[in-house]
Coordinates of all heavy atoms in Angstrom, one line a residue:
F430 N 47.5 114.3 156.4 CA 46.1 114.9 156.5 C 45.7 115.6 155.2 O 44.7 116.3 155.2 CB 46.1 116.0 157.7 CG 46.7 115.4 158.9 CD1 48.0 115.9 159.4 CD2 46.0 114.5 159.7 CE1 48.5 115.4 160.5 CE2 46.6 114.0 160.9 CZ 47.9 114.4 161.3
A431 N 46.5 115.3 154.1 CA 46.2 116.0 152.8 C 44.9 115.4 152.2 O 44.6 114.2 152.5 CB 47.4 115.7 151.9
P432 N 44.2 116.1 151.4 CA 42.9 115.6 150.8 C 43.2 114.5 149.8 O 44.4 114.4 149.4 CB 42.4 116.9 150.1 CG 43.1 118.0 150.7 CD 44.4 117.6 151.1
K433 N 42.2 113.7 149.6 CA 42.4 112.6 148.6 C 42.9 113.1 147.3 O 42.4 114.2 146.8 CB 41.0 112.0 148.4 CG 41.0 110.8 147.5 CD 39.6 110.2 147.4 CE 39.6 109.0 146.4 NZ 38.2 108.5 146.3
G434 N 43.8 112.4 146.7 CA 44.3 112.8 145.4 C 45.6 113.6 145.4 O 46.2 113.9 144.4
S435 N 46.0 114.1 146.6 CA 47.1 115.0 146.7 C 48.4 114.3 146.3 O 49.3 115.0 145.7 CB 47.3 115.5 148.2 OG 46.1 116.2 148.6
G436 N 48.5 113.0 146.5 CA 49.8 112.3 146.1 C 50.0 112.4 144.6 O 51.1 112.6 144.1
K437 N 48.9 112.1 143.8 CA 49.1 112.2 142.4 C 49.4 113.6 141.9 O 50.3 113.7 141.0 CB 47.7 111.8 141.7 CG 47.4 110.3 141.8 CD 46.1 110.0 141.1 CE 45.7 108.5 141.3 NZ 44.4 108.2 140.6
R438 N 48.8 114.6 142.5 CA 49.1 115.9 142.1 C 50.6 116.3 142.5 O 51.3 117.0 141.7 CB 48.1 116.9 142.8 CG 46.7 116.8 142.3 CD 45.8 117.9 142.7 NE 45.6 117.9 144.1 CZ 44.6 117.3 144.7 NH1 43.8 116.5 144.0 NH2 44.4 117.4 146.1
L439 N 51.0 115.8 143.7 CA 52.4 116.1 144.0 C 53.4 115.4 143.0 O 54.3 116.1 142.6 CB 52.7 115.5 145.4 CG 54.2 115.6 145.9 CD1 54.2 115.8 147.4 CD2 55.0 114.4 145.6
G440 N 53.1 114.2 142.6 CA 54.0 113.5 141.7 C 54.1 114.2 140.4 O 55.3 114.4 139.9
H441 N 53.0 114.6 139.8 CA 53.1 115.3 138.5 C 53.7 116.7 138.6 O 54.5 117.1 137.7 CB 51.7 115.3 137.9 CG 51.2 114.0 137.4 ND1 51.7 113.4 136.2 CD2 50.3 113.2 137.8 CE1 51.1 112.3 136.0 NE2 50.2 112.1 137.0
A442 N 53.4 117.4 139.7 CA 53.9 118.7 139.8 C 55.4 118.6 140.0 O 56.2 119.5 139.5 CB 53.3 119.5 141.0
A443 N 55.9 117.7 140.8 CA 57.3 117.5 141.1 C 58.1 117.1 139.9 O 59.2 117.7 139.6 CB 57.5 116.5 142.2
L444 N 57.6 116.2 139.1 CA 58.3 115.8 137.9 C 58.4 116.9 136.9 O 59.4 117.1 136.2 CB 57.7 114.5 137.3 CG 57.8 113.3 138.2 CD1 57.0 112.1 137.6 CD2 59.3 112.9 138.4
Q445 N 57.3 117.6 136.8 CA 57.3 118.8 135.8 C 58.3 119.8 136.3 O 59.1 120.3 135.4 CB 55.9 119.4 135.8 CG 55.7 120.6 134.8 CD 55.6 120.1 133.4 OE1 55.4 118.9 133.2 NE2 55.7 120.9 132.5
Y446 N 58.5 120.1 137.6 CA 59.5 121.0 138.1 C 60.9 120.4 137.8 O 61.8 121.2 137.4 CB 59.2 121.2 139.6 CG 60.1 122.2 140.3 CD1 59.7 123.5 140.4 CD2 61.3 121.9 140.8 CE1 60.4 124.5 141.0 CE2 62.1 122.8 141.4 CZ 61.7 124.1 141.5 OH 62.5 125.1 142.1
A447 N 61.0 119.1 138.1 CA 62.4 118.5 137.9 C 62.9 118.7 136.4 O 64.0 119.0 136.2 CB 62.3 117.1 138.3
F448 N 62.0 118.4 135.5 CA 62.4 118.4 134.1 C 62.4 119.7 133.4 O 63.1 119.9 132.4 CB 61.5 117.4 133.3 CG 61.7 115.9 133.7 CD1 60.6 115.1 134.0 CD2 63.0 115.4 133.8 CE1 60.8 113.8 134.4 CE2 63.1 114.0 134.2 CZ 62.0 113.3 134.5
T449 N 61.6 120.7 133.9 CA 61.6 122.0 133.3 C 62.4 123.0 134.1 O 63.3 123.7 133.5 CB 60.1 122.5 133.2 OG1 59.5 122.5 134.4 CG2 59.4 121.6 132.2
T450 N 62.1 123.2 135.4 CA 62.8 124.2 136.2 C 64.3 123.8 136.5 O 65.2 124.6 136.3 CB 62.1 124.5 137.5 OG1 60.7 124.9 137.1 CG2 62.8 125.6 138.2
L451 N 64.4 122.5 137.0 CA 65.8 122.1 137.4 C 66.6 121.5 136.2 O 67.8 121.3 136.3 CB 65.7 121.0 138.4 CG 65.0 121.4 139.8 CD1 65.0 120.2 140.7 CD2 65.7 122.6 140.4
K452 N 65.9 121.3 135.0 CA 66.6 120.8 133.8 C 67.2 119.4 134.0 O 68.2 119.1 133.4 CB 67.7 121.8 133.3 CG 67.2 123.2 133.2 CD 66.1 123.4 132.2 CE 65.8 124.9 132.0 NZ 64.6 125.1 131.1
L453 N 66.6 118.6 134.8 CA 67.1 117.3 135.0 C 66.7 116.4 133.8 O 65.8 116.7 133.1 CB 66.5 116.7 136.3 CG 66.9 117.4 137.6 CD1 66.2 116.8 138.8 CD2 68.4 117.4 137.8
K454 N 67.5 115.3 133.6 CA 67.3 114.4 132.5 C 66.7 113.1 132.9 O 66.1 112.4 132.2 CB 68.6 114.2 131.8 CG 69.3 115.5 131.3 CD 68.5 116.0 130.1 CE 69.3 117.3 129.6 NZ 70.6 117.0 129.1
R455 N 67.0 112.7 134.2 CA 66.6 111.3 134.6 C 66.4 111.3 136.2 O 67.3 111.8 136.9 CB 67.7 110.3 134.2 CG 67.4 108.9 134.7 CD 68.5 107.9 134.0 NE 68.4 106.6 134.6 CZ 69.2 106.2 135.5 NH1 70.1 107.0 136.1 NH2 69.2 104.9 136.0
I456 N 65.3 110.7 136.6 CA 65.0 110.7 138.0 C 65.0 109.2 138.5 O 64.4 108.4 137.8 CB 63.6 111.3 138.3 CG1 63.5 112.7 137.8 CG2 63.3 111.3 139.8 CD1 64.5 113.7 138.3
R457 N 65.6 108.9 139.6 CA 65.7 107.6 140.2 C 65.0 107.6 141.6 O 65.1 108.6 142.3 CB 67.1 107.1 140.4 CG 67.8 106.8 139.1 CD 69.2 106.2 139.4 NE 69.1 104.9 140.0 CZ 69.2 104.6 141.3 NH1 69.4 105.5 142.2 NH2 69.1 103.3 141.7
G458 N 64.3 106.5 141.9 CA 63.7 106.4 143.2 C 63.9 105.0 143.8 O 63.9 104.0 143.1
E459 N 64.2 105.0 145.1 CA 64.4 103.7 145.8 C 63.3 103.5 146.8 O 62.9 104.4 147.6 CB 65.7 103.8 146.6 CG 67.0 103.9 145.8 CD 67.5 102.6 145.2 OE1 67.0 101.6 145.7 OE2 68.4 102.6 144.3
V460 N 62.6 102.4 146.7 CA 61.4 102.1 147.4 C 61.6 100.8 148.2 O 62.1 99.8 147.7 CB 60.2 101.9 146.5 CG1 58.9 101.7 147.3 CG2 60.0 103.2 145.7
L461 N 61.3 100.8 149.5 CA 61.3 99.5 150.3 C 60.4 98.5 149.6 O 59.3 98.8 149.2 CB 60.9 99.8 151.7 CG 61.8 100.7 152.6 CD1 61.1 101.0 153.9 CD2 63.2 100.0 152.8
R462 N 60.9 97.2 149.7 CA 60.1 96.1 149.1 C 58.7 96.0 149.6 O 57.8 95.5 148.9 CB 60.9 94.8 149.2 CG 62.1 94.8 148.3 CD 62.8 93.4 148.3 NE 64.0 93.4 147.4 CZ 63.9 93.2 146.1 NH1 62.7 92.9 145.6 NH2 65.0 93.2 145.4
N463 N 58.6 96.3 150.9 CA 57.2 96.1 151.5 C 56.3 97.4 151.3 O 55.2 97.4 151.8 CB 57.4 95.8 153.0 CG 58.0 96.9 153.8 OD1 58.5 97.9 153.2 ND2 58.2 96.7 155.1
N464 N 56.8 98.4 150.6 CA 56.0 99.6 150.4 C 55.3 99.5 149.1 O 55.7 100.1 148.1 CB 56.9 100.8 150.5 CG 56.1 102.1 150.5 OD1 54.9 102.1 150.3 ND2 56.8 103.2 150.7
L465 N 54.3 98.7 149.0 CA 53.5 98.5 147.8 C 52.8 99.7 147.3 O 52.7 99.9 146.0 CB 52.5 97.3 148.0 CG 53.1 96.0 148.5 CD1 52.0 95.0 148.6 CD2 54.2 95.5 147.5
V466 N 52.4 100.6 148.2 CA 51.8 101.8 147.7 C 52.7 102.7 146.9 O 52.3 103.2 145.8 CB 51.2 102.6 148.9 CG1 50.7 104.0 148.5 CG2 50.1 101.8 149.6
S467 N 53.9 102.9 147.4 CA 54.9 103.7 146.6 C 55.3 103.0 145.3 O 55.5 103.7 144.3 CB 56.1 103.9 147.5 OG 57.0 104.8 146.8
Q468 N 55.4 101.7 145.3 CA 55.7 101.0 144.1 C 54.6 101.3 143.0 O 54.9 101.6 141.8 CB 55.8 99.5 144.3 CG 57.1 99.1 145.2 CD 57.1 97.7 145.6 OE1 56.7 96.8 144.8 NE2 57.5 97.4 146.8
R469 N 53.3 101.2 143.4 CA 52.2 101.4 142.5 C 52.3 102.9 142.0 O 52.0 103.2 140.9 CB 50.9 101.1 143.1 CG 50.6 99.6 143.3 CD 49.2 99.3 143.6 NE 48.8 99.9 144.9 CZ 48.9 99.2 146.0 NH1 49.3 97.9 146.0 NH2 48.5 99.8 147.2
F470 N 52.6 103.8 143.0 CA 52.7 105.2 142.7 C 53.7 105.5 141.6 O 53.5 106.2 140.6 CB 53.0 106.0 144.0 CG 53.1 107.5 143.8 CD1 52.0 108.2 143.7 CD2 54.3 108.1 143.8 CE1 52.0 109.6 143.6 CE2 54.4 109.5 143.6 CZ 53.3 110.2 143.5
H471 N 54.9 104.9 141.7 CA 56.0 105.1 140.7 C 55.5 104.6 139.3 O 55.7 105.2 138.3 CB 57.3 104.4 141.1 CG 58.1 105.2 142.1 ND1 57.8 105.3 143.5 CD2 59.1 106.1 141.9 CE1 58.7 106.1 144.0 NE2 59.5 106.6 143.1

Side-chain angles (χ1 to χ4, degrees):
F430 313 106
K433 182 180 178 181
S435 297
K437 289 182 181 179
R438 293 194 291 274
L439 176 148
H441 286 288
L444 292 175
Q445 186 74 13
Y446 187 91
F448 292 130
T449 57
T450 303
L451 299 181
K452 309 297 184 185
L453 298 176
K454 303 288 181 61
R455 178 171 169 266
I456 306 299
R457 290 183 69 259
E459 297 277 348
V460 181
L461 292 174
R462 288 187 180 276
N463 61 358
N464 190 350
L465 300 181
V466 172
S467 185
Q468 292 173 37
R469 289 194 295 268
F470 180 77
H471 278 82

